[in-house]
Amino acid sequence: GNADGRGIVGETIKGGLIGLGAGIAAPAVIGAATLAKRGVFEGLPQMFGKASQTKANRAIADALMRSGKTAPDVDALIAAAAREGQPEYRLMDALGLPGQRAANGLTRAGGAPGDEVAEFLSTRQSGQGERVGSFVEDAFDVKGTTAAKTQTGLIDARTEAADLAYDAARGNAAPVDVRGALGVIDARTGGMAGSGVTGDGIDAKLLGYRSRLAAQPGPDGVMRELSDFDRVLGVKQAVQDDIGAAVRAGRNNEARELGKLVKELDAALEGSSDMYRTANDGFRSASKVIDAVDEGALMATRGRAADNVPRFGAMAAAEQGAARTGYGDRLLSELENMKYPSTNRALITGSEKRTAEAATMATDPQLYASRIARERTMWDTQDKALK
C-alpha cells in the first residue's frame, strides 16, 4: 500500500473519482462537440444560402431506411422512369411515403430549398395532362388522329375497294330476280292496297322503292320487274343510305324494316353474280372495321369490363385496331375536359373497369400500367408536399 514511497491506495481512489467524473461528463461533452461540428459544417453553409450536403445525406439515408428499399432499388426505379418517358420521376417519388414526407418537411420549412422543391412540383403537375395524353395515344394507337378522322379514312378506303369489286361483279352478272324483295314490301303494305288508308313514313319509303323495282301492269297485263344488275344495286345502296339516316336519328323501327329489304336485295344480287358475293363480303368486313371505332368509344364509357374484354378479344385484328383508336380518343376527350392544373389526370384510367380493359386493349399493357402508376405517385407526392 506504500510502495516506492507513494500512497498507492490514495492515488487509486483519486484516479477512480476522476474516471467516474469523466464518465458522467462524456455524453454531454461529445454532444456539445457534435453540435459544434454541425454548427460549422451545416449551420454556416445555410447562413450563406447554401445547402448542407451532410444534412441532406443524413435525411436521405433516414428516408431510404424507412422506405424499406435499397439504394440500387431506388436507382433502378428512377432509371426505368427515365427510359419510359418520365424523367420527372425523382427520388422523393421512388421512396414512397417517406420521400413524400421529407418533401413536405422541406416545403414547410421554406427558404430557398423548400421554394425550389415547391416550384418543381407545381411545374411538374402542370405538365401531367400532356404526359398522360401522350401515354394514352401510345397505348391505344391514336397516333395524333381522332376517331372521326379514322372513320373517314376507313370509309374512303371501303368506297374505293368496293367500287373496284362491284365493277368486277357487273362483268359476269345475270338478270336479277327481285321477287323476294317485292315480297318483303308487299308483306307490310299489301293490306292497304285499295283501302284508302294512308300508311306511315316507313310504308311511304317502301312503296317508293317498290315503284323503282317494278312497274304496274301495262295494257297487256304483264308486270315488269327491274332485272338490271346496276339498277338493282343502286336501289340497294339507296336503301342503305336511308337506314344510316334512320339509325342516326334514332328511328330504329324504320331501320329494322328497311334492313329486311336490304337483306332480300343482297340475296338477289348474289344470286345474279358470284363476284358480287365476294364484293359484298369485303364490304361487310370493311363496315365492321368502321363500326368498331364507335364500339371502342362506347366501351370506354359503357358496359362492364367482363363484357367488353371478351367482346374486344372476339374482333378481327383490323377491328381491334379501330376499336382501340375509338377507346383512346374517348379518354383523350375526357382529359381535355379537365381544366384545373391540380386535377389528377391519371384518375381517368384508374377505375377497376378501365384497368382491366387496358390490360387487354393497350398495345403494351405493362408499359402503360407502369406509366400511369408513376403519374399517380407523382401526383400524391405534390399533393402531400404542398399541403
Side-chain angles (χ1 to χ4, degrees):
N2 193 18
D4 300 325
R6 295 166 55 203
I8 300 301
V9 174
E11 290 185 9
T12 300
I13 294 172
K14 180 181 178 182
L17 292 173
I18 293 172
L20 177 63
I24 294 172
V29 173
I30 293 171
T34 301
L35 290 173
K37 182 198 71 170
R38 289 183 182 176
V40 173
F41 293 103
E42 295 179 11
L44 289 178
Q46 292 180 40
M47 287 175 60
F48 292 98
K50 295 181 179 180
S52 166
Q53 187 63 52
T54 303
K55 190 174 182 180
N57 289 345
R58 188 169 59 252
I60 291 171
D62 289 345
L64 183 63
M65 182 181 65
R66 290 195 300 273
S67 73
K69 299 182 177 73
T70 65
D73 291 338
V74 173
D75 285 342
L77 290 171
I78 295 173
R83 283 196 309 272
E84 296 177 3
Q86 291 166 298
E88 302 87 358
Y89 186 84
R90 298 296 173 85
L91 177 64
M92 67 184 96
D93 307 303
L95 290 175
L97 187 57
Q100 294 166 355
R101 285 173 175 166
N104 177 269
L106 281 170
T107 57
R108 280 179 176 274
D115 292 345
E116 184 177 351
V117 171
E119 183 179 357
F120 169 79
L121 291 173
S122 296
T123 301
R124 184 174 74 174
Q125 175 58 27
S126 67
Q128 189 193 44
E130 293 180 3
R131 291 194 304 274
V132 174
S134 68
F135 300 153
V136 168
E137 287 194 350
D138 286 347
F140 296 98
D141 216 14
V142 179
K143 296 178 180 176
T145 185
T146 64
K149 289 180 180 177
T150 298
Q151 278 189 316
T152 298
L154 290 170
I155 290 171
D156 290 344
R158 180 186 66 178
T159 300
E160 184 177 350
D163 288 344
L164 294 173
Y166 287 128
D167 281 343
R170 292 184 181 95
N172 70 339
V176 183
D177 182 358
V178 298
R179 286 177 293 180
L182 293 173
V184 168
I185 297 172
D186 292 341
R188 180 180 170 95
T189 64
M192 295 184 299
S195 66
V197 176
T198 301
D200 58 17
I202 300 174
D203 296 331
K205 276 188 169 60
L206 289 172
L207 289 172
Y209 285 122
R210 194 186 200 292
S211 67
R212 292 178 61 178
L213 293 171
Q216 293 298 322
D220 55 2
V222 177
M223 177 175 289
R224 291 169 174 78
E225 298 169 353
L226 189 64
S227 62
D228 180 74
F229 181 92
D230 282 344
R231 291 186 177 277
V232 175
L233 177 59
V235 173
K236 191 211 93 164
Q237 291 171 335
V239 179
Q240 284 181 317
D241 289 342
D242 276 346
I243 291 174
V247 169
R248 289 190 293 274
R251 301 192 300 272
N252 297 325
N253 188 46
E254 178 181 330
R256 184 168 50 253
E257 292 297 323
L258 293 178
K260 296 176 184 178
L261 177 56
V262 166
K263 183 178 179 181
E264 287 297 331
L265 289 171
D266 264 338
L269 290 164
E270 288 177 359
S272 170
S273 171
D274 292 336
M275 295 294 293
Y276 178 81
R277 183 185 299 274
T278 301
N280 229 19
D281 289 343
F283 189 90
R284 288 193 192 102
S285 296
S287 297
K288 286 183 178 180
V289 176
I290 294 168
D291 293 341
V293 177
D294 289 334
E295 289 184 54
L298 288 175
M299 287 180 186
T301 55
R302 299 182 187 176
R304 302 178 306 155
D307 298 322
N308 291 339
V309 168
R311 182 180 169 192
F312 178 84
M315 293 179 173
E319 294 170 39
Q320 287 184 342
R324 192 177 286 119
T325 299
Y327 191 99
D329 184 69
R330 184 59 58 88
L331 294 185
L332 290 173
S333 295
E334 291 185 23
L335 277 174
E336 291 174 0
N337 290 331
M338 293 182 173
K339 304 300 184 183
Y340 296 103
S342 60
T343 303
N344 187 0
R345 269 74 170 181
L347 286 180
I348 69 163
T349 67
S351 68
E352 184 177 345
K353 162 187 158 62
R354 286 184 173 172
T355 299
E357 289 166 351
T360 297
M361 297 179 67
T363 55
D364 188 337
Q366 184 56 54
L367 175 61
Y368 181 63
S370 297
R371 285 170 160 175
I372 295 302
R374 286 192 202 98
E375 289 298 331
R376 292 180 196 150
T377 298
M378 288 191 282
W379 187 90
D380 285 341
T381 298
Q382 67 86 33
D383 182 58
K384 288 181 173 64
L386 300 181
K387 278 185 177 179

